[in-house]
Amino acid sequence: STHVVTDEEKAQLKEDLSQFAFGASPAGKKLAISLLQRLNSHLLANAGKESSEMLSHNHVEHILPTNTYRKYWMDQWPNEEMKTLWTHRLGNLALMSRKSTAKESNNVFGEKKERYEKESAPLTQHLAEIDTWNKFALSEN
């Protein structure tokens, strides 16, 4: 028998995906990479573009870094509790074609955007269109 996913089940899955701390562990990051590869491949396929190269994108970067010592990040995320709550969520992870250096990972958002727009993953490229990476931008991502 075929199971039809109900709207309630879809809503629960979306809620679970939005709250899970993907970036907090190696296993969570692997799962995030798989999900982001699939989502990006789907977007490329729908646009009639080749999507097989997404499989070579096997790194994720925290957009809001785990280390937020720079003034920019402290200004955008003054509430430590909020920052902690959002840091490891799927919406705060960017699929990358190569591993980011520590310096790149901790850069302010404007500097990160320059790298993101050069990536071939559509969801990562889209980040370059966002002005400021704050709670509102992250929750919309």
Side-chain angles (χ1 to χ4, degrees), residues 48-72:
K49 297 179 180 170
E50 177 57 43
S51 63
S52 60
E53 81 169 276
M54 284 303 107
L55 297 175
S56 68
H57 287 59
N58 53 7
H59 302 283
V60 286
E61 174 179 294
H62 286 84
I63 304 164
L64 164 67
T66 53
N67 183 346
T68 54
Y69 64 88
R70 299 203 41 190
K71 183 180 182 325
Y72 171 86

Side-chain angles (χ1 to χ4, degrees), residues 2 15 57 84 97:
T2 305
E15 180 74 14
H57 287 59
T84 301
S97 57

Side-chain angles (χ1 to χ4, degrees), residues 11-22 85-86 88-92 138-139 141:
Q12 184 62 52
L13 177 61
K14 185 176 180 183
E15 180 74 14
D16 291 347
L17 285 173
S18 72
Q19 292 188 2
F20 186 76
F22 287 94
L85 185 68
W86 287 93
H88 297 298
R89 294 207 177 159
L90 189 62
N92 189 50
L138 200 161
S139 63
N141 193 35

Side-chain angles (χ1 to χ4, degrees), residues 6 13 21-22 36 38 45 49 51 55-56 69 78-79 92 100 102 105 107-109 115 125 135 138-139:
T6 65
L13 177 61
F22 287 94
L36 290 169
R38 183 67 190 103
K49 297 179 180 170
S51 63
L55 297 175
S56 68
Y69 64 88
N79 182 321
N92 189 50
S100 306
S105 295
N107 273 344
V108 299
F109 187 61
R115 288 189 7 264
Q125 284 178 344
K135 181 182 176 287
L138 200 161
S139 63

